[in-house]
Amino acid sequence: MSCCSSVPSFSVPWASARSSRFAFSSSSRPRIHCALGGTVAEPKVTAAAEPLLLNAVRGEDVERPPVWLMRQAGRYMKSYQIICEKYPSFRERSENVDLVVEISLQPWKVFKPDGVILFSDILTPLSGMNIPFDIVKGKGPIIFNPLCTAADVDLVTEFVPGDSVPYVGEALTILRKEVDNKAAVLGFVGAPFTLASYVVEGGSSKHFTKIKGLAFSEPKVLHALLQKFATSMAKYIQYQAESGAQAVQIFDSWATELSPVDFEEFSLPYLKQIVDAVKRTHPNLPLILYASGSGGLLERLALTGVDVVSLDWTVDMAEGRRRLGQELAVQGNVDPGVLFGSKEFITNRINDTVRKAGRGKHILNLGHGIVVGTPEENVAHFFEVAKGLRY
C-alpha cells in the first residue's frame, strides 16, 4: 500500500538510528491519505528518543551533524520585532516566563533547529548578586555602580537561582515539555572573566582598560570577584539542568582580550572550577564553551574540561579539529556574514564546514550570533540545507 502524508515533511534526527516512527502529541497526529482511499492515523509513539545533538556530542553514530544558531531567537525575526514593539524593555522580555517561552520557541516553530536555546542574557544573574544593571536599546548593558574596590566586591552577594531568577527555571521546564525531546533544550551562562569585565567596566568596552588595570594592579581584588562568579555560575548551570536544560553553553566572550599567560591566571582556573563542580553533580550534562576570537587560545580552552569547544569563524574548522583532537566535540563555525550571501554561497560554506569537521562530534552553528538585519529567508535556507545533509 502506498501512502502520502497530508502534512509537510520534516526530518526526524533519530529516525535512522533509533526508530522509524514520528513522535506527535495525540492532539496533533496527522492523517495519512492512502492510494486505496480513506485515512489512517499515524501511530502514537510513547517515548521519544534522545535528541540528535546529545547523541552527536557523546560520539554516537549519527546521520548528520545537529544544527542550531547562536542568537537564533532575536532581532532578525519579524515575529520577535512585533513582541519588541509591545514590550520594548529587554529585561521585561527576558524575565517574563510567558515571553521567554514564546521567544525561545519562535525559531523552533519556523526552522525546527536541533537545539532550542533559552532566550535570556548572560547578565541576568547580576540583580541576584546585588549588582544593579539594565540593558538599554542602542546602548547595551549598563552597570549602575561599577565595581572598583575590595569593598565593592564584598557587597556582591551569593547567587541563589531559585530565589533570584525563578522565571528561568520555569521557562526551561516549559520548553522541555514543549520541545518534547525532538531537539535539545539549551541553557547558558556567562563565564567569570566576561561577567567581571562588564561589572568593572560599567558595560561594554573597547579596550578593557579598567578590568586590566584591576587585574594588573590589584589582582587579589579581581580574583575575589572571579571566585564569586565561578561559584555562582556553577550553581546557575546546575539549576538550569535541574529545571530542564539538556546542555549548557558557557560564554567567555571577553576572555580572548587576555594574553595567553593572563588567560591562564584570570579565566582558565575559574572555568575549570565551574566544569568540575557541575560534573560532580551532573556528569552527563554536555557543557559547551564559546569565546569569540579564540584562535590563539584553543588548546587552553580544551584544558577546561568542557565537552564541546565552539569555534568562531576566524579559525579554519579543519585546523581547529587538528589542534583540539578528535575526542573533543566541536561547534561552529560558519561566518555570520555568510547569511547575507546568495543561497548557493550559503550552501557551499555549510558543506565546506561540515566536510572539514569530519564525521561525528560536530554541532553545526555559526562562528558568532546571527547579525541584526540577516534575511530571515537565508536563515531558513541554512537550516534546510543543514537538515538535508547526510554523512
Side-chain angles (χ1 to χ4, degrees):
M1 180 185 295
S2 63
C3 299
C4 59
S5 174
S6 62
V7 297
S9 62
F10 58 93
S11 65
V12 181
W14 56 85
S16 65
R18 298 293 182 96
S19 172
S20 61
R21 298 170 295 179
F22 288 60
F24 295 94
S25 66
S26 59
S27 62
S28 60
R29 287 155 58 194
R31 309 296 295 184
I32 305 299
H33 294 270
C34 297
L36 298 181
T39 63
V40 294
E42 184 73 18
K44 183 179 180 180
V45 178
T46 56
E50 283 279 272
L52 176 66
L53 188 147
L54 301 185
N55 290 336
V57 171
R58 292 166 183 158
E60 297 182 18
D61 188 32
V62 293
E63 63 180 8
R64 65 171 175 85
V67 57
W68 71 281
L69 302 181
M70 287 183 276
R71 291 184 186 164
Q72 65 187 17
R75 291 172 286 179
Y76 73 100
M77 296 190 75
K78 292 190 181 299
S79 55
Y80 177 75
Q81 294 167 14
I82 292 171
I83 290 179
C84 291
E85 291 175 2
K86 187 174 181 180
Y87 303 96
S89 166
F90 178 87
R91 288 197 59 183
E92 181 178 10
R93 295 192 298 273
S94 63
E95 297 178 12
N96 176 293
V97 174
D98 293 336
L99 292 176
V100 169
V101 170
E102 181 179 355
I103 294 168
S104 301
L105 289 176
Q106 285 179 340
W108 163 249
K109 292 177 179 178
V110 178
F111 308 121
K112 287 295 187 288
D114 297 304
V116 175
I117 192 165
L118 175 78
F119 178 76
S120 187
D121 193 87
I122 62 171
L123 301 185
T124 293
L126 294 186
S127 292
M129 300 182 71
N130 195 32
I131 306 174
F133 80 102
D134 201 359
I135 299 176
V136 180
K137 184 178 180 180
K139 294 183 178 180
I142 296 176
I143 308 300
F144 295 125
N145 302 301
L147 279 56
C148 305
T149 66
D152 295 334
V153 174
D154 288 341
L155 295 176
V156 176
T157 57
E158 178 184 359
F159 180 57
V160 182
D163 295 340
S164 302
V165 292
Y167 48 86
V168 168
E170 293 174 33
L172 284 168
T173 300
I174 295 170
L175 288 173
R176 182 70 178 273
K177 183 177 180 180
E178 289 287 329
V179 176
D180 192 29
N181 259 9
K182 297 180 182 73
V185 173
L186 307 175
F188 70 92
V189 303
F193 182 79
T194 291
L195 294 174
S197 295
Y198 278 111
V199 302
V200 172
E201 296 286 342
S204 299
S205 179
K206 185 176 182 180
H207 299 295
F208 296 89
T209 53
K210 294 178 181 178
I211 185 75
K212 290 187 178 182
L214 186 63
F216 303 151
S217 64
E218 296 186 76
K220 288 184 178 180
V221 175
L222 180 54
H223 279 300
L225 178 60
L226 293 169
Q227 185 58 62
K228 288 191 174 187
F229 279 132
T231 301
S232 295
M233 291 310 103
K235 291 181 180 179
Y236 196 23
I237 293 174
Q238 291 163 337
Y239 174 73
Q240 291 185 28
E242 290 158 7
S243 300
Q246 293 165 288
V248 175
Q249 180 154 310
I250 304 169
F251 286 88
D252 207 353
S253 308
W254 303 131
T256 51
E257 294 293 327
L258 294 169
S259 68
V261 66
D262 294 321
F263 176 82
E264 290 176 356
E265 180 176 355
F266 296 107
S267 181
L268 180 58
Y270 300 101
L271 289 169
K272 291 177 70 173
Q273 273 192 45
I274 292 171
V275 173
D276 290 345
V278 172
K279 290 300 183 180
R280 282 195 294 270
T281 58
H282 299 79
N284 298 319
L285 178 73
L287 297 176
I288 307 168
L289 176 59
Y290 174 79
S292 57
S294 60
L297 297 172
L298 282 190
E299 291 83 359
R300 290 171 174 83
L301 297 184
L303 296 176
T304 61
V306 294
D307 303 281
V308 186
V309 170
S310 190
L311 304 175
D312 79 350
W313 76 94
T314 64
V315 178
D316 181 80
M317 176 58 78
E319 180 185 339
R321 271 292 208 191
R322 286 193 299 270
R323 291 172 60 186
L324 292 169
Q326 293 297 319
E327 292 303 309
L328 189 63
V330 294
Q331 179 174 272
N333 69 334
V334 177
D335 182 346
V338 166
L339 293 178
F340 289 89
S342 67
K343 288 182 171 57
E344 180 182 8
F345 189 77
I346 294 170
T347 300
N348 290 340
R349 282 299 175 88
I350 291 172
N351 289 331
D352 179 67
T353 300
V354 173
R355 175 180 59 82
K356 289 179 175 177
R359 178 165 186 146
K361 287 208 166 189
H362 174 224
I363 303 169
L364 181 61
N365 205 315
L366 300 177
H368 200 281
I370 296 179
V371 180
V372 177
T374 298
E376 199 166 337
E377 61 270 22
N378 285 1
V379 177
H381 179 73
F382 188 101
F383 279 111
E384 181 182 2
V385 172
K387 298 192 75 174
L389 294 172
R390 293 296 180 269
Y391 284 128

